[in-house]
Amino acid sequence: MSPFLEDYIVKNKNMLYRIAYCYVKNQSDALDIVQDSILKAIKNESSLRDRAAVKTWICRIVSHTAIDFIKKNSRNVYVETSDLELLGGSEEDAYENLDIKNALDTLPPFEKTVVVMRFFEDLKIEEVAEVTGENPNTVKTTLYRALKKLKLTLGNI
Protein backbone atom coordinates (compact mmCIF):
# COMPACT_ATOMS: atom_id res chain seq x y z
CA MET A 1 0.00 0.00 0.00
CA SER A 2 1.29 3.40 -0.91
CA PRO A 3 1.87 6.00 1.78
CA PHE A 4 -0.67 8.22 -0.01
CA LEU A 5 -3.50 5.68 0.34
CA GLU A 6 -2.52 4.78 3.89
CA ASP A 7 -2.53 8.44 4.90
CA TYR A 8 -5.90 9.05 3.24
CA ILE A 9 -7.50 6.04 4.97
CA VAL A 10 -6.16 7.01 8.38
CA LYS A 11 -7.37 10.60 8.03
CA ASN A 12 -10.82 9.61 6.74
CA LYS A 13 -11.61 6.44 8.68
CA ASN A 14 -14.54 8.11 10.47
CA MET A 15 -16.14 9.13 7.17
CA LEU A 16 -15.79 5.58 5.85
CA TYR A 17 -17.37 4.23 9.03
CA ARG A 18 -20.30 6.67 8.82
CA ILE A 19 -21.04 5.63 5.25
CA ALA A 20 -20.99 1.95 6.18
CA TYR A 21 -23.04 2.53 9.33
CA CYS A 22 -25.65 4.41 7.33
CA TYR A 23 -26.35 1.19 5.45
CA VAL A 24 -26.28 -1.42 8.22
CA LYS A 25 -27.09 0.45 11.45
CA ASN A 26 -24.80 -1.84 13.41
CA GLN A 27 -21.39 -0.94 14.77
CA SER A 28 -19.67 -4.30 14.29
CA ASP A 29 -21.09 -4.81 10.80
CA ALA A 30 -20.05 -1.29 9.79
CA LEU A 31 -16.54 -1.94 11.07
CA ASP A 32 -16.42 -5.20 9.09
CA ILE A 33 -17.53 -3.36 5.96
CA VAL A 34 -14.85 -0.69 6.44
CA GLN A 35 -12.22 -3.38 6.96
CA ASP A 36 -13.31 -5.25 3.83
CA SER A 37 -13.40 -1.98 1.89
CA ILE A 38 -9.88 -1.07 2.94
CA LEU A 39 -8.65 -4.49 1.84
CA LYS A 40 -10.36 -4.04 -1.52
CA ALA A 41 -8.84 -0.57 -1.86
CA ILE A 42 -5.36 -1.90 -1.12
CA LYS A 43 -5.74 -4.76 -3.61
CA ASN A 44 -7.11 -2.47 -6.31
CA GLU A 45 -4.99 0.60 -5.70
CA SER A 46 -3.57 0.30 -9.20
CA SER A 47 -7.05 1.07 -10.60
CA LEU A 48 -6.91 4.53 -8.99
CA ARG A 49 -5.71 6.58 -11.92
CA ASP A 50 -6.16 10.05 -10.44
CA ARG A 51 -5.17 10.68 -6.83
CA ALA A 52 -7.53 13.65 -6.74
CA ALA A 53 -10.42 11.18 -7.12
CA VAL A 54 -9.46 9.06 -4.10
CA LYS A 55 -12.45 10.25 -2.07
CA THR A 56 -15.07 9.20 -4.61
CA TRP A 57 -13.13 6.01 -5.41
CA ILE A 58 -13.02 4.80 -1.82
CA CYS A 59 -16.60 5.94 -1.09
CA ARG A 60 -17.74 3.84 -4.03
CA ILE A 61 -15.87 0.85 -2.64
CA VAL A 62 -17.49 1.28 0.80
CA SER A 63 -20.97 1.74 -0.71
CA HIS A 64 -20.68 -1.33 -2.92
CA THR A 65 -19.23 -3.39 -0.07
CA ALA A 66 -22.10 -2.36 2.20
CA ILE A 67 -24.71 -3.19 -0.42
CA ASP A 68 -23.06 -6.58 -1.02
CA PHE A 69 -23.02 -7.19 2.74
CA ILE A 70 -26.73 -6.43 3.02
CA LYS A 71 -27.56 -8.71 0.09
CA LYS A 72 -25.45 -11.52 1.51
CA ASN A 73 -26.78 -11.13 5.05
CA SER A 74 -30.34 -10.11 4.31
CA ARG A 75 -31.79 -9.96 7.76
CA ASN A 76 -33.45 -7.43 10.00
CA VAL A 77 -31.28 -4.44 10.72
CA TYR A 78 -31.34 -3.06 14.24
CA VAL A 79 -29.81 -0.20 16.16
CA GLU A 80 -27.76 -1.09 19.20
CA THR A 81 -28.44 0.74 22.45
CA SER A 82 -24.77 1.70 22.69
CA ASP A 83 -25.03 3.31 19.25
CA LEU A 84 -27.94 5.46 20.39
CA GLU A 85 -25.70 6.86 23.12
CA LEU A 86 -23.27 8.03 20.43
CA LEU A 87 -25.86 10.56 19.32
CA GLY A 88 -25.04 12.61 22.40
CA GLY A 89 -26.42 16.09 22.98
CA SER A 90 -29.56 16.89 24.89
CA GLU A 91 -32.63 14.67 24.84
CA GLU A 92 -34.25 16.99 22.33
CA ASP A 93 -31.25 16.71 20.01
CA ALA A 94 -31.29 12.92 20.28
CA TYR A 95 -34.96 12.76 19.34
CA GLU A 96 -34.36 15.08 16.41
CA ASN A 97 -31.49 12.91 15.21
CA LEU A 98 -33.60 9.77 15.62
CA ASP A 99 -36.39 11.34 13.58
CA ILE A 100 -33.96 12.11 10.76
CA LYS A 101 -32.44 8.62 10.95
CA ASN A 102 -35.88 7.02 10.89
CA ALA A 103 -36.95 9.21 7.98
CA LEU A 104 -33.80 8.27 6.06
CA ASP A 105 -34.61 4.60 6.64
CA THR A 106 -37.91 5.04 4.77
CA LEU A 107 -36.06 5.98 1.58
CA PRO A 108 -35.07 3.43 -1.06
CA PRO A 109 -31.35 2.54 -0.87
CA PHE A 110 -30.23 4.70 -3.81
CA GLU A 111 -32.08 7.78 -2.56
CA LYS A 112 -30.68 7.26 0.93
CA THR A 113 -27.17 6.92 -0.47
CA VAL A 114 -27.49 10.16 -2.43
CA VAL A 115 -28.81 12.13 0.57
CA VAL A 116 -26.19 10.77 2.97
CA MET A 117 -23.27 11.38 0.62
CA ARG A 118 -24.46 14.86 -0.33
CA PHE A 119 -25.43 16.23 3.07
CA PHE A 120 -23.71 14.07 5.68
CA GLU A 121 -20.43 13.47 3.86
CA ASP A 122 -20.40 16.80 1.98
CA LEU A 123 -19.76 15.32 -1.44
CA LYS A 124 -20.58 17.50 -4.43
CA ILE A 125 -23.26 16.37 -6.88
CA GLU A 126 -20.57 15.41 -9.39
CA GLU A 127 -18.74 13.35 -6.75
CA VAL A 128 -21.95 11.57 -5.74
CA ALA A 129 -22.55 10.83 -9.42
CA GLU A 130 -19.07 9.40 -9.76
CA VAL A 131 -19.45 7.25 -6.62
CA THR A 132 -22.83 5.89 -7.68
CA GLY A 133 -21.94 5.59 -11.36
CA GLU A 134 -24.93 7.73 -12.33
CA ASN A 135 -25.34 10.85 -14.43
CA PRO A 136 -25.18 14.10 -12.36
CA ASN A 137 -28.68 15.01 -13.57
CA THR A 138 -29.98 11.67 -12.30
CA VAL A 139 -28.37 12.38 -8.94
CA LYS A 140 -29.96 15.85 -8.81
CA THR A 141 -33.40 14.42 -9.64
CA THR A 142 -33.00 11.65 -7.09
CA LEU A 143 -31.84 14.12 -4.44
CA TYR A 144 -34.81 16.40 -5.10
CA ARG A 145 -37.25 13.47 -4.94
CA ALA A 146 -35.66 12.14 -1.73
CA LEU A 147 -35.75 15.55 -0.05
CA LYS A 148 -39.46 15.89 -0.89
CA LYS A 149 -40.11 12.49 0.68
CA LEU A 150 -38.08 13.41 3.76
CA LYS A 151 -39.97 16.69 4.12
CA LEU A 152 -43.28 14.83 4.00
CA THR A 153 -42.09 12.17 6.44
CA LEU A 154 -40.63 14.67 8.90
CA GLY A 155 -43.68 16.91 8.56
CA ASN A 156 -45.90 14.06 9.73
CA ILE A 157 -43.93 13.51 12.95
Side-chain angles (χ1 to χ4, degrees):
M1 172 170 51
S2 73
F4 168 76
L5 184 59
E6 180 180 0
D7 187 48
Y8 184 83
I9 290 170
V10 169
K11 287 181 180 175
N12 293 284
K13 64 184 177 218
N14 291 332
M15 176 193 67
L16 302 177
Y17 171 78
R18 286 190 308 268
I19 291 171
Y21 187 86
C22 174
Y23 283 95
V24 294
K25 303 287 188 286
N26 178 285
Q27 183 179 13
S28 62
D29 290 344
L31 290 171
D32 288 343
I33 290 167
V34 171
Q35 182 178 357
D36 291 346
S37 300
I38 290 171
L39 286 173
K40 289 177 184 179
I42 292 168
K43 288 180 183 177
N44 297 304
E45 185 177 6
S46 61
S47 69
L48 178 62
R49 292 178 209 97
D50 180 12
R51 286 186 171 191
V54 69
K55 183 176 185 177
T56 55
W57 177 75
I58 202 155
C59 285
R60 182 182 304 140
I61 292 172
V62 173
S63 294
H64 288 242
T65 303
I67 291 168
D68 290 344
F69 178 88
I70 291 169
K71 286 178 184 174
K72 193 176 356 174
N73 300 301
S74 59
R75 58 180 170 74
N76 291 332
V77 177
Y78 62 94
V79 177
E80 297 173 355
T81 307
S82 62
D83 292 332
L84 293 175
E85 295 168 1
L86 295 176
L87 293 174
S90 68
E91 286 183 25
E92 184 178 320
D93 289 341
Y95 289 124
E96 184 177 319
N97 288 337
L98 285 175
D99 289 343
I100 292 170
K101 286 180 135 190
N102 290 336
L104 280 170
D105 288 341
T106 65
L107 296 175
F110 181 67
E111 290 179 6
K112 181 178 178 179
T113 299
V114 170
V115 170
V116 168
M117 288 188 176
R118 177 65 185 98
F119 293 108
F120 294 92
E121 299 306 326
D122 294 326
L123 292 172
K124 296 176 182 163
I125 295 289
E126 293 77 21
E127 292 173 324
V128 175
E130 191 175 329
V131 168
T132 59
E134 294 290 339
N135 181 305
N137 289 331
T138 303
V139 171
K140 287 178 191 176
T141 302
T142 302
L143 183 61
Y144 177 74
R145 183 175 53 245
L147 291 175
K148 280 179 70 174
K149 288 179 182 178
L150 287 173
K151 185 177 179 180
L152 285 172
T153 302
L154 292 170
N156 293 329
I157 293 177

